[in-house]
Amino acid sequence: MKKVISVVVPMFNEADGIIGFLSKQLIPVLSGLKYDIEIILVDDGSVDKTVEKVVEKYGDNEEIKLIALARNFGKEIALTAGLNNTIGDAVIMIDADGQHPAEMIPKMIEKWEHSAYIVTAVRGENTTKHKIGSKIYYKAMKMCGNKNMVVGAMDYRLLDRSVVDEFNKMPEHNRLTRGLVDWLGYPQEYVKVHTKSRMSGKPTYSHKKLIMLTIDGLASTSRTPLIIFGYIGVGIMVVSLILGLFILIQQYILGDPLKLDWSGAVAMSVFIAFLVGLVLVSQAITALYISQIHVEAKGRPLYIIDKRKSKGIKNEEK
Ligand code: UDP
Ligand code: MG
């Protein structure tokens, strides 16, 4: 029996480019392979004609399945919905906008056939608009203990079935797909790719979204931010203790030999303002963690599939 390769493609408002991507990039590469193919298109609540276009062109294609989420859940959840529904011996995640070069797929599969569990595409040269953003992102992640994170590693990946099965057991809502895959700990192999510019449309990840994703990613994978603020708190206490002692001895015990003539009220108000700031910041951080607990504690399903719009997936069968 032939092995099956599944390809998961998250789509959000990709009506302009999706058919071109499938017919000119993805399908030509896949049809040259000696595997059975399953393409899982996950529509992440597009409000344009993405679903209609796909159904019109590929509605009868047995290899192409469609999962239509009931609303926009975000790329990470869309990928998860796709991964949950794959049957392939290997699963490839690729963006719908043509930025992940489909030509790399045979190379990724070759590495997998040589027993790689995970094949991760790494940006050869960084040409994206999020250049600085992604640098800061990786620095922050590394500082916070995600040591085995490779700079430039993308969501463009091949995962062995055993990895996907483990991935599917992870229930959290606040998720960064590549973070979770890294967390699993399987050895990874890498292929260098040159990312392209978007075929059409605009990137849907705004800077604001990326910053939030980074913050959430940090709070969900690492306690380091909390610990850093612990250190800052201790540092401030030590410094203010020393300063306080200095003022006490210099001004009040020795009678101001240095002629500084500091008013006690000034020193006090500076300290208090500083400490109030510190308390506020650490409260904000605590709130971040609590809000995550809140989301997880509700135990809601990760995503909702619109069964009437979807086709060919196992959840859809009655
Ligand atoms: N995407 C998605 N849901 C979203 C945002 C994006 O499924 O809420 C998809 C999008 O259609 C594309 C991929 O995720 O296939 C990457 O999105 P985008 O190109 O906007 O991000 P970037 O390339 O800037 O990382
Ligand atoms: Mg893109």
Side-chain angles (χ1 to χ4, degrees):
M1 227 176 84
K2 277 204 241 174
K3 288 186 192 167
V4 179
I5 303 281
S6 303
V7 181
V8 174
V9 187
M11 315 179 292
F12 177 57
N13 292 345
E14 299 285 1
D16 292 341
I18 186 66
I19 300 299
F21 168 70
L22 292 171
S23 65
K24 297 208 183 81
Q25 298 189 17
L26 188 62
I27 294 173
V29 171
L30 295 177
S31 56
L33 301 172
K34 58 177 174 51
Y35 300 91
D36 282 335
I37 299 296
E38 169 191 60
I39 299 176
I40 302 211
L41 304 175
V42 186
D43 178 65
D44 188 16
S46 296
V47 290
D48 63 1
K49 299 259 177 248
T50 304
V51 170
E52 285 86 340
K53 291 222 164 151
V54 165
V55 170
E56 185 191 331
K57 173 112 177 151
Y58 295 110
D60 302 326
N61 189 320
E62 294 278 300
E63 288 179 346
I64 298 184
K65 300 171 183 173
L66 174 68
I67 299 176
L69 301 185
R71 64 169 168 87
N72 179 247
F73 283 86
K75 178 183 175 185
E76 308 303 322
I77 300 285
L79 278 175
T80 304
L83 287 170
N84 287 167
N85 286 283
T86 52
I87 54 162
D89 299 289
V91 180
I92 295 165
M93 308 182 269
I94 188 168
D95 278 2
D97 58 7
Q99 284 190 292
H100 295 167
E103 313 85 86
M104 293 309 291
I105 289 177
K107 201 163 172 193
M108 295 168 103
I109 293 177
E110 194 187 311
K111 290 206 181 248
W112 170 65
E113 287 286 17
H114 284 98
S115 78
Y117 281 102
I118 301 171
V119 185
T120 301
V122 180
R123 231 173 249 128
E125 79 209 32
N126 205 334
T127 51
T128 60
K129 77 172 174 118
H130 301 307
K131 220 179 197 170
I132 302 167
S134 61
K135 273 218 178 99
I136 296 172
Y137 173 82
Y138 285 107
K139 273 264 155 59
M141 281 303 204
K142 278 212 160 139
M143 265 170 58
C144 290
N146 299 315
K147 290 262 169 354
N148 50 6
M149 215 160 165
V150 170
V151 176
M154 304 197 282
D155 270 342
Y156 183 19
R157 293 182 176 201
L158 177 148
L159 309 178
D160 182 67
R161 167 55 37 194
S162 54
V163 178
V164 177
D165 287 343
E166 297 303 330
F167 179 90
N168 288 344
K169 290 181 196 160
M170 296 198 271
E172 60 256 63
H173 286 235
N174 223 316
R175 45 174 52 229
L176 204 57
T177 310
R178 51 185 166 213
L180 292 180
V181 170
D182 291 346
W183 180 88
L184 288 172
Y186 287 98
Q188 302 193 16
E189 296 198 15
Y190 301 92
V191 290
K192 263 213 162 120
V193 303
H194 296 285
T195 49
K196 306 179 194 170
S197 53
R198 242 173 182 279
M199 293 201 307
S200 66
K202 300 196 292 262
T204 40
Y205 273 107
S206 60
H207 287 297
K208 199 172 138 209
K209 253 194 192 169
L210 275 179
I211 291 169
M212 279 320 290
L213 205 63
T214 308
I215 293 175
D216 282 346
L218 281 178
S220 65
T221 56
S222 141
R223 282 175 21 243
T224 314
L226 282 180
I227 294 168
I228 289 174
F229 274 91
Y231 282 132
I232 293 178
V234 171
I236 288 172
M237 273 170 60
V238 170
V239 169
S240 56
L241 190 73
I242 292 172
L243 261 173
L245 281 176
F246 171 76
I247 292 174
L248 183 76
I249 296 171
Q250 199 286 136
Q251 192 138 333
Y252 298 103
I253 299 184
L254 301 179
D256 202 8
L258 299 177
K259 298 272 174 282
L260 295 176
D261 198 21
W262 280 353
S263 109
V266 169
M268 273 314 244
S269 36
V270 168
F271 282 137
I272 289 171
F274 203 45
L275 293 178
V276 168
L278 177 75
V279 170
L280 284 179
V281 173
S282 56
Q283 266 191 355
I285 293 215
T286 314
L288 204 69
Y289 284 82
I290 293 174
S291 75
Q292 291 213 358
I293 297 170
H294 179 66
V295 169
E296 302 301 341
K298 283 190 284 199
R300 292 203 184 143
L302 277 181
Y303 50 84
I304 307 295
I305 293 179
D306 183 336
K307 292 180 182 157
R308 282 194 298 183
K309 274 193 183 167
S310 307
K311 88 171 193 46
I313 51 159
K314 55 183 191 251
N315 293 27
E316 188 203 8
E317 272 126 44
K318 305 219 171 70

